[in-house]
Every structure is written in structure tokens, then in C-alpha cells.
mmCIF file with all atom_site columns, all heavy atoms in Angstrom:
data_model
loop_
_atom_site.group_PDB
_atom_site.id
_atom_site.type_symbol
_atom_site.label_atom_id
_atom_site.label_alt_id
_atom_site.label_comp_id
_atom_site.label_asym_id
_atom_site.label_entity_id
_atom_site.label_seq_id
_atom_site.pdbx_PDB_ins_code
_atom_site.Cartn_x
_atom_site.Cartn_y
_atom_site.Cartn_z
_atom_site.occupancy
_atom_site.B_iso_or_equiv
_atom_site.pdbx_formal_charge
_atom_site.auth_seq_id
_atom_site.auth_comp_id
_atom_site.auth_asym_id
_atom_site.auth_atom_id
_atom_site.pdbx_PDB_model_num
ATOM 1   N N   . ASP Z 1 1  ? -35.162 -27.091 -72.215  1.00 76.00 ? 1  ASP Z N   1
ATOM 2   C CA  . ASP Z 1 1  ? -35.490 -27.004 -73.638  1.00 76.00 ? 1  ASP Z CA  1
ATOM 3   C C   . ASP Z 1 1  ? -35.529 -25.541 -74.084  1.00 76.00 ? 1  ASP Z C   1
ATOM 4   O O   . ASP Z 1 1  ? -36.280 -25.178 -74.990  1.00 76.00 ? 1  ASP Z O   1
ATOM 5   C CB  . ASP Z 1 1  ? -36.851 -27.650 -73.861  1.00 76.00 ? 1  ASP Z CB  1
ATOM 6   C CG  . ASP Z 1 1  ? -36.927 -28.401 -75.188  1.00 76.00 ? 1  ASP Z CG  1
ATOM 7   O OD1 . ASP Z 1 1  ? -35.911 -28.408 -75.909  1.00 76.00 ? 1  ASP Z OD1 1
ATOM 8   O OD2 . ASP Z 1 1  ? -37.988 -28.956 -75.500  1.00 76.00 ? 1  ASP Z OD2 1
ATOM 9   N N   . ALA Z 1 2  ? -34.707 -24.708 -73.452  1.00 75.00 ? 2  ALA Z N   1
ATOM 10  C CA  . ALA Z 1 2  ? -34.806 -23.265 -73.649  1.00 75.00 ? 2  ALA Z CA  1
ATOM 11  C C   . ALA Z 1 2  ? -34.554 -22.846 -75.084  1.00 75.00 ? 2  ALA Z C   1
ATOM 12  O O   . ALA Z 1 2  ? -35.169 -21.890 -75.573  1.00 75.00 ? 2  ALA Z O   1
ATOM 13  C CB  . ALA Z 1 2  ? -33.835 -22.544 -72.716  1.00 75.00 ? 2  ALA Z CB  1
ATOM 14  N N   . SER Z 1 3  ? -33.677 -23.549 -75.790  1.00 79.00 ? 3  SER Z N   1
ATOM 15  C CA  . SER Z 1 3  ? -33.371 -23.151 -77.154  1.00 79.00 ? 3  SER Z CA  1
ATOM 16  C C   . SER Z 1 3  ? -34.584 -23.314 -78.072  1.00 79.00 ? 3  SER Z C   1
ATOM 17  O O   . SER Z 1 3  ? -34.684 -22.642 -79.087  1.00 79.00 ? 3  SER Z O   1
ATOM 18  C CB  . SER Z 1 3  ? -32.200 -23.977 -77.692  1.00 79.00 ? 3  SER Z CB  1
ATOM 19  O OG  . SER Z 1 3  ? -32.536 -25.351 -77.747  1.00 79.00 ? 3  SER Z OG  1
ATOM 20  N N   . ARG Z 1 4  ? -35.507 -24.208 -77.687  1.00 84.00 ? 4  ARG Z N   1
ATOM 21  C CA  . ARG Z 1 4  ? -36.725 -24.384 -78.490  1.00 84.00 ? 4  ARG Z CA  1
ATOM 22  C C   . ARG Z 1 4  ? -37.846 -23.459 -78.032  1.00 84.00 ? 4  ARG Z C   1
ATOM 23  O O   . ARG Z 1 4  ? -38.538 -22.866 -78.860  1.00 84.00 ? 4  ARG Z O   1
ATOM 24  C CB  . ARG Z 1 4  ? -37.205 -25.834 -78.395  1.00 84.00 ? 4  ARG Z CB  1
ATOM 25  C CG  . ARG Z 1 4  ? -38.534 -26.076 -79.129  1.00 84.00 ? 4  ARG Z CG  1
ATOM 26  C CD  . ARG Z 1 4  ? -39.011 -27.504 -78.986  1.00 84.00 ? 4  ARG Z CD  1
ATOM 27  N NE  . ARG Z 1 4  ? -39.308 -27.880 -77.618  1.00 84.00 ? 4  ARG Z NE  1
ATOM 28  C CZ  . ARG Z 1 4  ? -40.465 -27.600 -77.005  1.00 84.00 ? 4  ARG Z CZ  1
ATOM 29  N NH1 . ARG Z 1 4  ? -41.404 -26.922 -77.637  1.00 84.00 ? 4  ARG Z NH1 1
ATOM 30  N NH2 . ARG Z 1 4  ? -40.660 -27.979 -75.764  1.00 84.00 ? 4  ARG Z NH2 1
ATOM 31  N N   . ILE Z 1 5  ? -38.029 -23.318 -76.722  1.00 85.00 ? 5  ILE Z N   1
ATOM 32  C CA  . ILE Z 1 5  ? -39.197 -22.578 -76.248  1.00 85.00 ? 5  ILE Z CA  1
ATOM 33  C C   . ILE Z 1 5  ? -39.108 -21.085 -76.562  1.00 85.00 ? 5  ILE Z C   1
ATOM 34  O O   . ILE Z 1 5  ? -40.126 -20.397 -76.592  1.00 85.00 ? 5  ILE Z O   1
ATOM 35  C CB  . ILE Z 1 5  ? -39.438 -22.789 -74.740  1.00 85.00 ? 5  ILE Z CB  1
ATOM 36  C CG1 . ILE Z 1 5  ? -38.293 -22.179 -73.915  1.00 85.00 ? 5  ILE Z CG1 1
ATOM 37  C CG2 . ILE Z 1 5  ? -39.644 -24.247 -74.429  1.00 85.00 ? 5  ILE Z CG2 1
ATOM 38  C CD1 . ILE Z 1 5  ? -38.565 -22.183 -72.427  1.00 85.00 ? 5  ILE Z CD1 1
ATOM 39  N N   . GLN Z 1 6  ? -37.911 -20.577 -76.796  1.00 87.00 ? 6  GLN Z N   1
ATOM 40  C CA  . GLN Z 1 6  ? -37.817 -19.159 -77.140  1.00 87.00 ? 6  GLN Z CA  1
ATOM 41  C C   . GLN Z 1 6  ? -38.262 -18.900 -78.575  1.00 87.00 ? 6  GLN Z C   1
ATOM 42  O O   . GLN Z 1 6  ? -38.483 -17.747 -78.972  1.00 87.00 ? 6  GLN Z O   1
ATOM 43  C CB  . GLN Z 1 6  ? -36.388 -18.660 -76.959  1.00 87.00 ? 6  GLN Z CB  1
ATOM 44  C CG  . GLN Z 1 6  ? -35.394 -19.287 -77.933  1.00 87.00 ? 6  GLN Z CG  1
ATOM 45  C CD  . GLN Z 1 6  ? -34.047 -18.613 -77.868  1.00 87.00 ? 6  GLN Z CD  1
ATOM 46  O OE1 . GLN Z 1 6  ? -33.964 -17.397 -77.760  1.00 87.00 ? 6  GLN Z OE1 1
ATOM 47  N NE2 . GLN Z 1 6  ? -32.980 -19.404 -77.924  1.00 87.00 ? 6  GLN Z NE2 1
ATOM 48  N N   . GLN Z 1 7  ? -38.407 -19.953 -79.379  1.00 93.00 ? 7  GLN Z N   1
ATOM 49  C CA  . GLN Z 1 7  ? -38.845 -19.812 -80.759  1.00 93.00 ? 7  GLN Z CA  1
ATOM 50  C C   . GLN Z 1 7  ? -40.350 -20.014 -80.825  1.00 93.00 ? 7  GLN Z C   1
ATOM 51  O O   . GLN Z 1 7  ? -40.864 -21.032 -80.390  1.00 93.00 ? 7  GLN Z O   1
ATOM 52  C CB  . GLN Z 1 7  ? -38.131 -20.837 -81.648  1.00 93.00 ? 7  GLN Z CB  1
ATOM 53  C CG  . GLN Z 1 7  ? -36.623 -20.712 -81.614  1.00 93.00 ? 7  GLN Z CG  1
ATOM 54  C CD  . GLN Z 1 7  ? -35.937 -21.833 -82.360  1.00 93.00 ? 7  GLN Z CD  1
ATOM 55  O OE1 . GLN Z 1 7  ? -36.295 -23.000 -82.195  1.00 93.00 ? 7  GLN Z OE1 1
ATOM 56  N NE2 . GLN Z 1 7  ? -34.975 -21.494 -83.184  1.00 93.00 ? 7  GLN Z NE2 1
ATOM 57  N N   . ARG Z 1 8  ? -41.078 -19.064 -81.408  1.00 95.00 ? 8  ARG Z N   1
ATOM 58  C CA  . ARG Z 1 8  ? -42.530 -19.120 -81.374  1.00 95.00 ? 8  ARG Z CA  1
ATOM 59  C C   . ARG Z 1 8  ? -43.127 -19.014 -82.773  1.00 95.00 ? 8  ARG Z C   1
ATOM 60  O O   . ARG Z 1 8  ? -42.534 -18.406 -83.674  1.00 95.00 ? 8  ARG Z O   1
ATOM 61  C CB  . ARG Z 1 8  ? -43.101 -18.007 -80.500  1.00 95.00 ? 8  ARG Z CB  1
ATOM 62  C CG  . ARG Z 1 8  ? -42.526 -17.890 -79.105  1.00 95.00 ? 8  ARG Z CG  1
ATOM 63  C CD  . ARG Z 1 8  ? -42.428 -19.190 -78.351  1.00 95.00 ? 8  ARG Z CD  1
ATOM 64  N NE  . ARG Z 1 8  ? -43.607 -20.048 -78.393  1.00 95.00 ? 8  ARG Z NE  1
ATOM 65  C CZ  . ARG Z 1 8  ? -43.633 -21.303 -77.914  1.00 95.00 ? 8  ARG Z CZ  1
ATOM 66  N NH1 . ARG Z 1 8  ? -42.543 -21.818 -77.380  1.00 95.00 ? 8  ARG Z NH1 1
ATOM 67  N NH2 . ARG Z 1 8  ? -44.733 -22.005 -77.980  1.00 95.00 ? 8  ARG Z NH2 1
ATOM 68  N N   . MET Z 1 9  ? -44.310 -19.580 -82.933  1.00 98.00 ? 9  MET Z N   1
ATOM 69  C CA  . MET Z 1 9  ? -45.080 -19.444 -84.163  1.00 98.00 ? 9  MET Z CA  1
ATOM 70  C C   . MET Z 1 9  ? -45.841 -18.125 -84.082  1.00 98.00 ? 9  MET Z C   1
ATOM 71  O O   . MET Z 1 9  ? -46.788 -17.977 -83.316  1.00 98.00 ? 9  MET Z O   1
ATOM 72  C CB  . MET Z 1 9  ? -46.060 -20.604 -84.323  1.00 98.00 ? 9  MET Z CB  1
ATOM 73  C CG  . MET Z 1 9  ? -46.849 -20.565 -85.621  1.00 98.00 ? 9  MET Z CG  1
ATOM 74  S SD  . MET Z 1 9  ? -48.193 -21.795 -85.645  1.00 98.00 ? 9  MET Z SD  1
ATOM 75  C CE  . MET Z 1 9  ? -49.381 -20.987 -84.538  1.00 98.00 ? 9  MET Z CE  1
ATOM 76  N N   . HIS Z 1 10 ? -45.431 -17.160 -84.876  1.00 98.00 ? 10 HIS Z N   1
ATOM 77  C CA  . HIS Z 1 10 ? -45.969 -15.803 -84.805  1.00 98.00 ? 10 HIS Z CA  1
ATOM 78  C C   . HIS Z 1 10 ? -46.942 -15.497 -85.947  1.00 98.00 ? 10 HIS Z C   1
ATOM 79  O O   . HIS Z 1 10 ? -47.452 -14.394 -86.049  1.00 98.00 ? 10 HIS Z O   1
ATOM 80  C CB  . HIS Z 1 10 ? -44.792 -14.815 -84.824  1.00 98.00 ? 10 HIS Z CB  1
ATOM 81  C CG  . HIS Z 1 10 ? -45.105 -13.465 -84.287  1.00 98.00 ? 10 HIS Z CG  1
ATOM 82  N ND1 . HIS Z 1 10 ? -44.908 -12.302 -85.023  1.00 98.00 ? 10 HIS Z ND1 1
ATOM 83  C CD2 . HIS Z 1 10 ? -45.610 -13.067 -83.105  1.00 98.00 ? 10 HIS Z CD2 1
ATOM 84  C CE1 . HIS Z 1 10 ? -45.268 -11.258 -84.294  1.00 98.00 ? 10 HIS Z CE1 1
ATOM 85  N NE2 . HIS Z 1 10 ? -45.698 -11.697 -83.136  1.00 98.00 ? 10 HIS Z NE2 1
ATOM 86  N N   . ASN Z 1 11 ? -47.220 -16.485 -86.809  1.00 98.00 ? 11 ASN Z N   1
ATOM 87  C CA  . ASN Z 1 11 ? -48.101 -16.307 -87.960  1.00 98.00 ? 11 ASN Z CA  1
ATOM 88  C C   . ASN Z 1 11 ? -49.523 -15.976 -87.526  1.00 98.00 ? 11 ASN Z C   1
ATOM 89  O O   . ASN Z 1 11 ? -49.979 -16.406 -86.469  1.00 98.00 ? 11 ASN Z O   1
ATOM 90  C CB  . ASN Z 1 11 ? -48.147 -17.583 -88.807  1.00 98.00 ? 11 ASN Z CB  1
ATOM 91  C CG  . ASN Z 1 11 ? -46.766 -18.183 -89.064  1.00 98.00 ? 11 ASN Z CG  1
ATOM 92  O OD1 . ASN Z 1 11 ? -45.920 -18.228 -88.186  1.00 98.00 ? 11 ASN Z OD1 1
ATOM 93  N ND2 . ASN Z 1 11 ? -46.566 -18.665 -90.272  1.00 98.00 ? 11 ASN Z ND2 1
ATOM 94  N N   . LYS Z 1 12 ? -50.247 -15.214 -88.390  1.00 98.00 ? 12 LYS Z N   1
ATOM 95  C CA  . LYS Z 1 12 ? -51.649 -14.911 -88.148  1.00 98.00 ? 12 LYS Z CA  1
ATOM 96  C C   . LYS Z 1 12 ? -52.450 -15.120 -89.429  1.00 98.00 ? 12 LYS Z C   1
ATOM 97  O O   . LYS Z 1 12 ? -52.193 -14.469 -90.444  1.00 98.00 ? 12 LYS Z O   1
ATOM 98  C CB  . LYS Z 1 12 ? -51.847 -13.460 -87.695  1.00 98.00 ? 12 LYS Z CB  1
ATOM 99  C CG  . LYS Z 1 12 ? -51.442 -13.181 -86.249  1.00 98.00 ? 12 LYS Z CG  1
ATOM 100 C CD  . LYS Z 1 12 ? -50.095 -12.565 -86.166  1.00 98.00 ? 12 LYS Z CD  1
ATOM 101 C CE  . LYS Z 1 12 ? -49.771 -12.181 -84.725  1.00 98.00 ? 12 LYS Z CE  1
ATOM 102 N NZ  . LYS Z 1 12 ? -48.372 -11.730 -84.586  1.00 98.00 ? 12 LYS Z NZ  1
ATOM 103 N N   . LEU Z 1 13 ? -53.417 -16.054 -89.379  1.00 98.00 ? 13 LEU Z N   1
ATOM 104 C CA  . LEU Z 1 13 ? -54.287 -16.325 -90.514  1.00 98.00 ? 13 LEU Z CA  1
ATOM 105 C C   . LEU Z 1 13 ? -55.705 -16.576 -90.036  1.00 98.00 ? 13 LEU Z C   1
ATOM 106 O O   . LEU Z 1 13 ? -55.913 -17.194 -88.972  1.00 98.00 ? 13 LEU Z O   1
ATOM 107 C CB  . LEU Z 1 13 ? -53.806 -17.548 -91.304  1.00 98.00 ? 13 LEU Z CB  1
ATOM 108 C CG  . LEU Z 1 13 ? -52.503 -17.444 -92.094  1.00 98.00 ? 13 LEU Z CG  1
ATOM 109 C CD1 . LEU Z 1 13 ? -52.120 -18.814 -92.665  1.00 98.00 ? 13 LEU Z CD1 1
ATOM 110 C CD2 . LEU Z 1 13 ? -52.635 -16.410 -93.207  1.00 98.00 ? 13 LEU Z CD2 1
ATOM 111 N N   . PHE Z 1 14 ? -56.677 -16.123 -90.830  1.00 98.00 ? 14 PHE Z N   1
ATOM 112 C CA  . PHE Z 1 14 ? -58.098 -16.372 -90.555  1.00 98.00 ? 14 PHE Z CA  1
ATOM 113 C C   . PHE Z 1 14 ? -58.738 -16.642 -91.915  1.00 98.00 ? 14 PHE Z C   1
ATOM 114 O O   . PHE Z 1 14 ? -59.005 -15.721 -92.691  1.00 98.00 ? 14 PHE Z O   1
ATOM 115 C CB  . PHE Z 1 14 ? -58.727 -15.136 -89.894  1.00 98.00 ? 14 PHE Z CB  1
ATOM 116 C CG  . PHE Z 1 14 ? -59.984 -15.395 -89.121  1.00 98.00 ? 14 PHE Z CG  1
ATOM 117 C CD1 . PHE Z 1 14 ? -60.040 -15.189 -87.758  1.00 98.00 ? 14 PHE Z CD1 1
ATOM 118 C CD2 . PHE Z 1 14 ? -61.134 -15.841 -89.772  1.00 98.00 ? 14 PHE Z CD2 1
ATOM 119 C CE1 . PHE Z 1 14 ? -61.216 -15.420 -87.039  1.00 98.00 ? 14 PHE Z CE1 1
ATOM 120 C CE2 . PHE Z 1 14 ? -62.303 -16.076 -89.066  1.00 98.00 ? 14 PHE Z CE2 1
ATOM 121 C CZ  . PHE Z 1 14 ? -62.350 -15.867 -87.699  1.00 98.00 ? 14 PHE Z CZ  1
ATOM 122 N N   . LEU Z 1 15 ? -58.947 -17.923 -92.260  1.00 98.00 ? 15 LEU Z N   1
ATOM 123 C CA  . LEU Z 1 15 ? -59.293 -18.333 -93.619  1.00 98.00 ? 15 LEU Z CA  1
ATOM 124 C C   . LEU Z 1 15 ? -60.667 -18.991 -93.659  1.00 98.00 ? 15 LEU Z C   1
ATOM 125 O O   . LEU Z 1 15 ? -60.991 -19.834 -92.808  1.00 98.00 ? 15 LEU Z O   1
ATOM 126 C CB  . LEU Z 1 15 ? -58.245 -19.315 -94.150  1.00 98.00 ? 15 LEU Z CB  1
ATOM 127 C CG  . LEU Z 1 15 ? -56.781 -18.892 -94.008  1.00 98.00 ? 15 LEU Z CG  1
ATOM 128 C CD1 . LEU Z 1 15 ? -55.857 -20.027 -94.438  1.00 98.00 ? 15 LEU Z CD1 1
ATOM 129 C CD2 . LEU Z 1 15 ? -56.499 -17.628 -94.813  1.00 98.00 ? 15 LEU Z CD2 1
ATOM 130 N N   . ALA Z 1 16 ? -61.457 -18.626 -94.672  1.00 98.00 ? 16 ALA Z N   1
ATOM 131 C CA  . ALA Z 1 16 ? -62.810 -19.175 -94.826  1.00 98.00 ? 16 ALA Z CA  1
ATOM 132 C C   . ALA Z 1 16 ? -62.964 -19.795 -96.208  1.00 98.00 ? 16 ALA Z C   1
ATOM 133 O O   . ALA Z 1 16 ? -62.756 -19.125 -97.224  1.00 98.00 ? 16 ALA Z O   1
ATOM 134 C CB  . ALA Z 1 16 ? -63.856 -18.091 -94.621  1.00 98.00 ? 16 ALA Z CB  1
ATOM 135 N N   . ASP Z 1 17 ? -63.326 -21.074 -96.244  1.00 97.00 ? 17 ASP Z N   1
ATOM 136 C CA  . ASP Z 1 17 ? -63.628 -21.801 -97.485  1.00 97.00 ? 17 ASP Z CA  1
ATOM 137 C C   . ASP Z 1 17 ? -62.512 -21.711 -98.518  1.00 97.00 ? 17 ASP Z C   1
ATOM 138 O O   . ASP Z 1 17 ? -62.755 -21.851 -99.717  1.00 97.00 ? 17 ASP Z O   1
ATOM 139 C CB  . ASP Z 1 17 ? -64.957 -21.317 -98.089  1.00 97.00 ? 17 ASP Z CB  1
ATOM 140 C CG  . ASP Z 1 17 ? -66.165 -21.785 -97.285  1.00 97.00 ? 17 ASP Z CG  1
ATOM 141 O OD1 . ASP Z 1 17 ? -65.984 -22.658 -96.414  1.00 97.00 ? 17 ASP Z OD1 1
ATOM 142 O OD2 . ASP Z 1 17 ? -67.267 -21.275 -97.532  1.00 97.00 ? 17 ASP Z OD2 1
ATOM 143 N N   . ASN Z 1 18 ? -61.296 -21.436 -98.062  1.00 97.00 ? 18 ASN Z N   1
ATOM 144 C CA  . ASN Z 1 18 ? -60.119 -21.386 -98.942  1.00 97.00 ? 18 ASN Z CA  1
ATOM 145 C C   . ASN Z 1 18 ? -60.280 -20.366 -100.072 1.00 97.00 ? 18 ASN Z C   1
ATOM 146 O O   . ASN Z 1 18 ? -59.646 -20.497 -101.119 1.00 97.00 ? 18 ASN Z O   1
ATOM 147 C CB  . ASN Z 1 18 ? -59.819 -22.772 -99.528  1.00 97.00 ? 18 ASN Z CB  1
ATOM 148 C CG  . ASN Z 1 18 ? -58.377 -22.921 -99.985  1.00 97.00 ? 18 ASN Z CG  1
ATOM 149 O OD1 . ASN Z 1 18 ? -57.528 -22.087 -99.677  1.00 97.00 ? 18 ASN Z OD1 1
ATOM 150 N ND2 . ASN Z 1 18 ? -58.102 -23.967 -100.742 1.00 97.00 ? 18 ASN Z ND2 1
ATOM 151 N N   . VAL Z 1 19 ? -61.098 -19.333 -99.850  1.00 97.00 ? 19 VAL Z N   1
ATOM 152 C CA  . VAL Z 1 19 ? -61.299 -18.326 -100.893 1.00 97.00 ? 19 VAL Z CA  1
ATOM 153 C C   . VAL Z 1 19 ? -61.242 -16.900 -100.352 1.00 97.00 ? 19 VAL Z C   1
ATOM 154 O O   . VAL Z 1 19 ? -61.015 -15.966 -101.108 1.00 97.00 ? 19 VAL Z O   1
ATOM 155 C CB  . VAL Z 1 19 ? -62.643 -18.573 -101.617 1.00 97.00 ? 19 VAL Z CB  1
ATOM 156 C CG1 . VAL Z 1 19 ? -63.842 -18.225 -100.727 1.00 97.00 ? 19 VAL Z CG1 1
ATOM 157 C CG2 . VAL Z 1 19 ? -62.708 -17.812 -102.931 1.00 97.00 ? 19 VAL Z CG2 1
ATOM 158 N N   . LEU Z 1 20 ? -61.416 -16.706 -99.066  1.00 98.00 ? 20 LEU Z N   1
ATOM 159 C CA  . LEU Z 1 20 ? -61.276 -15.395 -98.419  1.00 98.00 ? 20 LEU Z CA  1
ATOM 160 C C   . LEU Z 1 20 ? -60.477 -15.579 -97.142  1.00 98.00 ? 20 LEU Z C   1
ATOM 161 O O   . LEU Z 1 20 ? -60.665 -16.569 -96.416  1.00 98.00 ? 20 LEU Z O   1
ATOM 162 C CB  . LEU Z 1 20 ? -62.631 -14.787 -98.096  1.00 98.00 ? 20 LEU Z CB  1
ATOM 163 C CG  . LEU Z 1 20 ? -63.381 -14.073 -99.229  1.00 98.00 ? 20 LEU Z CG  1
ATOM 164 C CD1 . LEU Z 1 20 ? -64.849 -13.886 -98.863  1.00 98.00 ? 20 LEU Z CD1 1
ATOM 165 C CD2 . LEU Z 1 20 ? -62.745 -12.711 -99.520  1.00 98.00 ? 20 LEU Z CD2 1
ATOM 166 N N   . GLY Z 1 21 ? -59.592 -14.632 -96.842  1.00 98.00 ? 21 GLY Z N   1
ATOM 167 C CA  . GLY Z 1 21 ? -58.787 -14.764 -95.643  1.00 98.00 ? 21 GLY Z CA  1
ATOM 168 C C   . GLY Z 1 21 ? -58.171 -13.454 -95.199  1.00 98.00 ? 21 GLY Z C   1
ATOM 169 O O   . GLY Z 1 21 ? -57.974 -12.543 -95.998  1.00 98.00 ? 21 GLY Z O   1
ATOM 170 N N   . VAL Z 1 22 ? -57.883 -13.361 -93.914  1.00 98.00 ? 22 VAL Z N   1
ATOM 171 C CA  . VAL Z 1 22 ? -57.257 -12.192 -93.310  1.00 98.00 ? 22 VAL Z CA  1
ATOM 172 C C   . VAL Z 1 22 ? -55.895 -12.569 -92.781  1.00 98.00 ? 22 VAL Z C   1
ATOM 173 O O   . VAL Z 1 22 ? -55.726 -13.615 -92.127  1.00 98.00 ? 22 VAL Z O   1
ATOM 174 C CB  . VAL Z 1 22 ? -58.121 -11.624 -92.159  1.00 98.00 ? 22 VAL Z CB  1
ATOM 175 C CG1 . VAL Z 1 22 ? -57.398 -10.465 -91.460  1.00 98.00 ? 22 VAL Z CG1 1
ATOM 176 C CG2 . VAL Z 1 22 ? -59.485 -11.170 -92.673  1.00 98.00 ? 22 VAL Z CG2 1
ATOM 177 N N   . THR Z 1 23 ? -54.902 -11.732 -93.055  1.00 98.00 ? 23 THR Z N   1
ATOM 178 C CA  . THR Z 1 23 ? -53.581 -11.884 -92.452  1.00 98.00 ? 23 THR Z CA  1
ATOM 179 C C   . THR Z 1 23 ? -53.052 -10.509 -92.090  1.00 98.00 ? 23 THR Z C   1
ATOM 180 O O   . THR Z 1 23 ? -53.562 -9.492  -92.548  1.00 98.00 ? 23 THR Z O   1
ATOM 181 C CB  . THR Z 1 23 ? -52.607 -12.619 -93.386  1.00 98.00 ? 23 THR Z CB  1
ATOM 182 O OG1 . THR Z 1 23 ? -51.410 -12.960 -92.665  1.00 98.00 ? 23 THR Z OG1 1
ATOM 183 C CG2 . THR Z 1 23 ? -52.245 -11.773 -94.596  1.00 98.00 ? 23 THR Z CG2 1
ATOM 184 N N   . GLY Z 1 24 ? -52.057 -10.467 -91.235  1.00 97.00 ? 24 GLY Z N   1
ATOM 185 C CA  . GLY Z 1 24 ? -51.496 -9.184  -90.798  1.00 97.00 ? 24 GLY Z CA  1
ATOM 186 C C   . GLY Z 1 24 ? -50.935 -9.290  -89.403  1.00 97.00 ? 24 GLY Z C   1
ATOM 187 O O   . GLY Z 1 24 ? -50.373 -10.310 -89.019  1.00 97.00 ? 24 GLY Z O   1
ATOM 188 N N   . GLY Z 1 25 ? -51.104 -8.231  -88.625  1.00 96.00 ? 25 GLY Z N   1
ATOM 189 C CA  . GLY Z 1 25 ? -50.459 -8.161  -87.328  1.00 96.00 ? 25 GLY Z CA  1
ATOM 190 C C   . GLY Z 1 25 ? -51.307 -8.576  -86.148  1.00 96.00 ? 25 GLY Z C   1
ATOM 191 O O   . GLY Z 1 25 ? -50.768 -8.920  -85.101  1.00 96.00 ? 25 GLY Z O   1
#
């Protein structure tokens, strides 16, 4: 399944009460 496993979810989120959140590296 190499064509799939090389693709990764690289997103970064830290969300509180849908009103404050941190994103970045």
C-alpha cells in the first residue's frame, strides 16, 4: 500500500470551544 502510506496528514490544529484556536508548524 506504498502509494497511500507515503501520503500523510500534516495539518496542525488546537481548538477550544470553536472560538479560539492555534495553527501553524
